[in-house]
Amino acid sequence: MKKRYLKPPVWEANHVWLILVIVIIFMGFPRVYTVLSTALHIPLFIMLLGIIFRGTAFTFRYYDVDKDHTHNYYTHIFRINSILTPFFLGVTLGAMILGRISTDYEEGFVKIYIDPWANAFSFVLGIFTVLLFGYISSAFLSSETSLTKEERYIYATYCKRFLIALLVAGPIFFFTAEFYEHQFVNDFFHSFLSVGCIALATALIPIVWVSLNRQKALLTRLITGIQVCAIIGGWLAIQFPVIVIIQDTEDLTFYNTMANPATIKALIWALGVGILLIFPSLFYLFKVFKSD
């Protein structure tokens, strides 16, 4: 019986979300797209390069018929870019909320294009994002029934290590925010929803730990998904409706950057049709790869 792994279809469909986010921001919030693609074009460019190299290396390594030493190169490229891509995604998110982005383009290259993201605050959030992505990936693989019991144990161990690292990185991010005199910590403790989301994610740690020990695939994936959604939800509870904090002018919010109603209406219809096409296709893709 030939084994089938879920990773290839996950990878094949992995960038649908990226295209979706870019299209939504470009059409629905053009001012946000303009500011981000200008002030943060360096981390975004590196992140896109990481996505391209990671995907290329994965495809060549998985589908290449000849298993020779070139697979080692593909593996190294894949590993390096698996760190760079989420790191610069986190750096970009950090720059969006730190408040150093300026729209005064007379201030010089470093002030406009480097300072907003090249700082400890953004780097710490980048590391936190890498750890979070590692946690999701290892939790997913530890539950992959096509793997051997020993392989699932190895991924479960990685998952626990990422979880411990996240517990360390979280307070470091709070401390860094305080160091930069950011209101993140104050906003967090004054948001009941945000505190509740993080409390929920923390309270679920013993459950996911036990499920990893007992190799409960569905429970591990379910709890991990809830934890990640809780972390994102806790962040959104603080951030909303602000999308980008601007240093020298009004912040870009969900409301003051929205496109005209006709464009938003067309975007919503397009998303609705897209969901009807994409979700059945993803379901079929998973079904094909999991069948023997």
Side-chain angles (χ1 to χ4, degrees):
M1 182 179 293
K2 185 178 180 180
K3 290 183 177 180
R4 294 284 191 175
Y5 298 90
L6 270 178
K7 196 172 181 180
V10 169
W11 172 255
E12 300 290 356
N14 200 23
H15 297 125
V16 172
W17 68 269
L18 178 63
I19 298 171
L20 190 65
V21 169
I22 292 175
V23 170
I24 291 175
I25 296 177
F26 181 75
M27 287 191 63
F29 306 91
R31 283 182 60 196
V32 174
Y33 183 90
T34 301
V35 170
L36 294 183
S37 60
T38 302
L40 304 180
H41 71 276
I42 294 176
L44 287 173
F45 179 69
I46 297 173
M47 185 181 74
L48 290 175
L49 283 180
I51 291 172
I52 293 170
F53 281 113
R54 186 171 181 266
T56 305
F58 178 83
T59 301
F60 278 114
R61 189 183 63 168
Y62 188 80
Y63 293 106
D64 190 8
V65 177
D66 297 327
K67 307 297 181 184
D68 53 22
H69 68 282
T70 57
H71 277 236
N72 294 330
Y73 298 121
Y74 300 146
T75 300
H76 291 315
I77 293 172
F78 180 80
R79 287 175 177 172
I80 293 171
N81 288 283
S82 293
I83 296 174
L84 284 181
T85 303
F87 176 76
F88 279 98
L89 174 63
V91 167
T92 301
L93 293 174
M96 289 172 61
I97 65 176
L98 181 58
R100 288 190 172 185
I101 293 178
S102 174
T103 56
D104 182 5
Y105 298 109
E106 301 296 327
E107 294 185 350
F109 182 86
V110 174
K111 183 69 175 178
I112 299 300
Y113 302 114
I114 303 296
D115 280 354
W117 61 271
N119 50 73
F121 180 85
S122 300
F123 288 166
V124 169
L125 190 54
I127 293 171
F128 184 87
T129 307
V130 172
L131 297 173
L132 187 63
F133 276 49
Y135 176 58
I136 299 170
S137 302
S138 54
F140 180 86
L141 288 170
S142 69
S143 307
E144 176 58 70
T145 54
S146 299
L147 299 177
T148 64
K149 186 176 180 180
E150 290 73 20
E151 289 173 326
R152 292 200 299 271
Y153 174 78
I154 292 173
Y155 286 116
T157 303
Y158 277 119
C159 187
K160 293 175 183 176
R161 291 174 180 174
F162 278 118
L163 185 56
I164 294 172
L166 281 169
L167 290 173
V168 176
I172 292 177
F173 176 70
F174 276 63
F175 174 79
T176 309
E178 281 291 286
F179 179 79
Y180 277 83
E181 298 181 348
H182 194 279
Q183 293 186 350
F184 184 87
V185 177
N186 183 61
D187 293 342
F188 171 76
F189 285 108
H190 284 83
S191 170
F192 176 79
L193 181 58
S194 184
V195 173
C197 286
I198 301 304
L200 173 63
T202 306
L204 290 174
I205 290 176
I207 300 176
V208 75
W209 197 280
V210 172
S211 67
L212 285 168
N213 289 337
R214 298 182 178 179
Q215 296 192 349
K216 302 288 186 182
L218 182 60
L219 182 62
T220 300
R221 291 178 178 177
L222 177 64
I223 297 299
T224 305
I226 293 174
Q227 285 179 308
V228 173
C229 289
I231 292 173
I232 296 175
W235 172 63
L236 288 176
I238 297 174
Q239 190 74 9
F240 189 82
V242 176
I243 302 176
V244 182
I245 299 176
I246 304 296
Q247 185 179 50
D248 53 358
T249 185
E250 184 183 19
D251 294 338
L252 303 184
T253 71
F254 183 81
Y255 302 109
N256 65 15
T257 60
M258 189 180 296
N260 62 68
T263 302
I264 296 297
K265 185 177 180 180
L267 179 62
I268 293 174
W269 273 104
L271 289 174
V273 174
I275 288 173
L276 292 177
L277 293 174
I278 291 174
F279 277 86
S281 302
L282 288 176
F283 176 77
Y284 181 70
L285 187 65
F286 276 84
K287 184 178 179 181
V288 168
F289 270 80
K290 288 300 289 182
S291 62
D292 295 323

